[in-house]
Amino acid sequence: MLNPISVAFKKAKAEKRPALLTYTVAGDSSKKQSLDILKSISKNADILEVGVPHNTPVADGSQIQTSAYRAIEKGIKINDIFRIVRDFKKFDKNKPIILMGYYNMIFQYGDNSFLNKCKNSGVNGLIVVDLPWPENKNFAKKCKRKSIYFIQLLSPTTTSKRLKKIIQNSHPMNYFISMLSTTGGKLKVSPKEIIKNYNRIKKINPKKEIVIGFGITDKTIGKLKSADGLVVGSAICKEITRSLNSRQNPVTNVGKLVRKLKNKIK
Amino acid sequence: MKLKKRVPVIDQGNSLGFWGGKFGGNFVPETLKKPIEDLEVLFNKLKKDKKFINERDKYFKNWVGSPTRFIKLENLTNHIGGAQIWSKVVSDANGGAHKIYNATVHCLLAKRSGKKIICGDTGAGYAGKMLSMAAKKFGLKCKIFMGAKDIARQQPNVKAMKKNGAEVIPVYSGSQTLVDAVSECMRFWVANCDTTAMCVGSTVGPAVFVRICGWSTSQISRELKVQLIDEFGTIPKKLKLYNCVGGGSSSFGFWNEFMDYDKRQVEFIGVEAGGPKKSKKHAAPLTYGSKIGILHGAAQYVNQNSDGQIEETESISAGLDYPGISPLHCFLKDTKRARYTAASDEEALTAYKLVTKFEKLRPSLEPSHAFFVALKEAKKLSKNTVVVINSCGDAYKDRGILKERLGKKYVKSN
Ligand SMILES: Cc1ncc(COP(=O)(O)O)c(C=O)c1O
């Protein structure tokens, strides 16, 4: 059976648009609410990235940190996250889910137990921010055995030689970090420049799906349409914070934002 | 797990940067792979380059001020009535602590790599103060990340940083202490690694930072070895080296040159921060058996919960208030080369009172932890045992805390 992640890319291609990937933090601002948010955006998002909140995140900007700290404060545990994924899959079983987090949490759970849990609850892919290539070789192999995509990150600082090696060894989907930044930074390079870098990477092996993320908002998403997929994270986390601060319902607001994002890339 | 002889410990990691196959490494975002590799190439080249070594030694000698004193604490020795008690007064170094060695080397490296800005973390404020001094000396712009709680409790060092022209950026996330400052500094580097060099303030972080820092602070034991031979004609038959351990840079530097001696001759004792007596929180992952985890790019023993969230620490000394510990010390612990224990806040204060009562020496709260354990153990040791405590910081920065906890009389003469 084809991984639902690949199915999602196919479907988006058939509609001549990039896949829309959203990032929200599990447990933000409560277990139930984060599940409701996933349900409310699943109509318009093609792939759902679910953040595993960590309290010493070395690559996240302030918006995602705020979401993560909020979730941890409310007591979210890894097993709750698996429960959220499982409950979501009961609601929409074909929608792909990618967990994104830091390696210590996986390491403490145990690689194998973690992957078994992923498999059983319906996780389709993993992004581990601080487990780069080649350190991730073994772990990526274990993912493959479970038919879970291990998604490699590529950055503007990744050398050509390294890009080739990473892509050669990669699973069907990779993630290109648009610029030198933590998540949520302002786009400090033009979309044109980003697409130029993206094309250079895409050429190495056109069969691999490459998504672009970091700094994408409803203002910029329309200019990056030629990519295989686009990830929006901090803008969504920010919307949750804004809603909470103004005593509005994050579930409906985030639902609206994701619909707007989808309309921009149609 | 085995410690090799005649190979510097900083070079005993494997090709992926793991000591003993499991401590250290490079758990970093992809963006940092290239800058870290560049730094590794540069450092590996320069540490073998005679000209570079000469340059380093010149600055250590003329600017940092080397050697720092090695003195006998006669009054304390008489009062305790056991082993001979000595101190290596590393707080003599320019700026008042050992953090100057690492800061100087990082600025020299930054200059060689053509970077114009350097960023760094700080807890007690010494790492930040020294980096601001070195940056000023070498014409680099300097940004220091510091937890808001530490900014409040280490004001003298904050003032010094600002005076040196550094920008001090308060960090409000998490516990607002060193752990958060290091995270924020790494995040800043992720976003600015094209223009900016990073200095990690201790022997922590991705492997190359552990190595650079350990290489730099080893100046302390190079000096001590010479001073011991000058004093005793040889390395004493029973030598015990006590040092406080936060991230582990001063202790590693204090011990490095003695690594190959049998531990029955030269024993290393690392003293971690046990925190307040009444609190369950501490900053002593080695003493209290914390599990291996990943923090700031390296695998190490670290205080964490079962989910892998890093736990908050508590210590009276900002410099030791860190949930993790250098991979080098994890390695020294598991190979049994060094012994680790902890002193509580109250015990550190007791030692501070005792040392300042008998000697003209004002160790900051960090080395006061080491003094407590050393003085306690010295009582039971023979006269021919030489106990040396690294007094790696001066108490001037702690005047606010000392006044509050012990009263005015303990800060007056500063
Ligand atoms: C005086 C002093 N001693 C010790 C430490 C602890 O750090 P390390 O274990 O790296 O020497 C610090 C850190 O700020 C310090 O300022």
Side-chain angles (χ1 to χ4, degrees), chain B residues 267-282:
Chain B
E267 196 191 8
F268 304 155
I269 304 95
V271 183
E272 299 184 297
K277 249 196 186 105
K278 286 208 188 93
S279 171
K280 279 213 177 76
K281 288 186 196 163
H282 60 83

Side-chain angles (χ1 to χ4, degrees), chain B residues 117-407:
Chain B
I117 309 168
I118 192 157
C119 64
D121 58 81
T122 197
Y126 270 135
K129 177 183 169 188
M130 309 313 181
L131 191 61
S132 72
M133 284 166 53
K136 189 174 167 194
K137 170 118 189 130
F138 296 106
L140 297 160
K141 243 181 96 174
C142 182
K143 281 180 192 280
I144 302 295
F145 294 87
M146 188 170 188
K149 179 175 170 190
D150 291 338
I151 289 187
R153 63 176 164 169
Q154 307 277 238
Q155 268 299 310
N157 280 347
V158 177
K159 286 197 185 108
M161 286 181 249
K162 289 186 176 160
K163 217 178 107 216
N164 290 328
E167 184 187 351
V168 181
I169 299 147
V171 180
Y172 296 103
S173 54
S175 56
Q176 314 197 359
T177 57
L178 180 57
V179 64
D180 311 292
V182 179
S183 301
E184 190 65 20
C185 187
M186 283 183 80
R187 289 189 283 262
F188 180 82
W189 201 42
V190 168
N192 297 281
C193 55
D194 49 344
T195 56
T196 304
M198 178 170 77
C199 168
V200 179
S202 186
T203 34
V204 299
V208 68
F209 291 95
V210 173
R211 295 175 62 228
I212 293 174
C213 186
W215 187 78
S216 309
T217 54
S218 292
Q219 172 68 15
I220 303 168
S221 51
R222 265 198 304 276
E223 291 175 14
L224 179 61
K225 204 169 179 182
V226 174
Q227 289 166 321
L228 281 165
I229 292 170
D230 275 357
E231 187 65 42
F232 300 100
T234 175
I235 301 300
K237 283 279 161 308
K238 285 183 193 163
L239 178 63
K240 295 189 186 296
L241 304 179
Y242 291 83
N243 207 124
C244 62
V245 181
S249 64
S250 107
S251 44
F252 182 80
F254 189 49
W255 299 341
N256 188 44
E257 286 292 316
F258 304 96
M259 216 46 89
D260 286 354
Y261 285 84
D262 192 293
K263 70 176 173 195
R264 282 165 300 191
Q265 181 180 1
V266 184
E267 196 191 8
F268 304 155
I269 304 95
V271 183
E272 299 184 297
K277 249 196 186 105
K278 286 208 188 93
S279 171
K280 279 213 177 76
K281 288 186 196 163
H282 60 83
L286 293 178
T287 305
Y288 296 126
S290 300
K291 278 173 61 182
I292 297 182
I294 289 135
L295 175 63
H296 297 140
Q300 62 198 270
Y301 293 113
V302 54
N303 298 352
Q304 57 184 323
N305 70 14
S306 58
D307 245 19
Q309 304 289 4
I310 304 305
E311 272 179 347
E312 279 193 20
T313 52
E314 195 175 352
S315 168
I316 191 169
S317 72
L320 306 183
D321 207 352
Y322 186 71
I325 170 71
S326 175
L328 297 172
H329 288 287
C330 299
F331 185 48
L332 293 180
K333 177 174 189 219
D334 279 16
T335 53
K336 301 198 166 63
R337 180 63 189 91
R339 164 163 72 89
Y340 297 87
T341 178
S344 68
D345 287 4
E346 292 78 6
E347 290 170 336
L349 288 167
T350 302
Y352 174 81
K353 282 201 288 195
L354 199 62
V355 174
T356 51
K357 181 173 166 197
F358 285 99
E359 303 288 345
K360 271 215 218 93
L361 187 67
R362 295 185 160 266
S364 67
L365 287 167
E366 290 82 9
S368 292
H369 284 73
F371 272 103
F372 180 82
V373 174
L375 298 180
K376 192 175 78 180
E377 295 186 355
K379 209 176 283 185
K380 295 173 228 147
L381 295 170
S382 63
K383 268 201 172 68
N384 64 345
T385 305
V386 176
V387 160
V388 189
I389 304 118
N390 180 0
S391 192
C392 56
D394 179 88
Y396 179 72
K397 71 170 177 71
D398 295 325
R399 48 192 303 153
I401 302 165
L402 291 166
K403 193 168 145 191
E404 188 194 315
R405 296 291 294 265
L406 301 176

Side-chain angles (χ1 to χ4, degrees), chain B residues 6 42 64 80 138 150 198 214:
Chain B
R6 288 176 295 278
L42 182 70
V64 171
I80 299 284
F138 296 106
D150 291 338
M198 178 170 77

Side-chain angles (χ1 to χ4, degrees), chain A residues 52 64 107 199-200 254:
Chain A
V52 178
I64 289 178
F107 184 65
N199 287 336
R200 186 168 59 91
V254 170

Side-chain angles (χ1 to χ4, degrees), chain A residues 13 26-27 51 56 76 81 87 92 103 109 137 193 210 219 240 249 255 260:
Chain A
K13 282 218 168 89
T56 49
I76 189 94
I81 299 172
D87 289 348
D92 186 350
Y103 186 58
Y109 209 93
K137 269 186 185 167
E193 178 80 18
I210 310 236
K219 305 266 179 330
I240 296 175
N249 185 351
K260 188 166 159 195

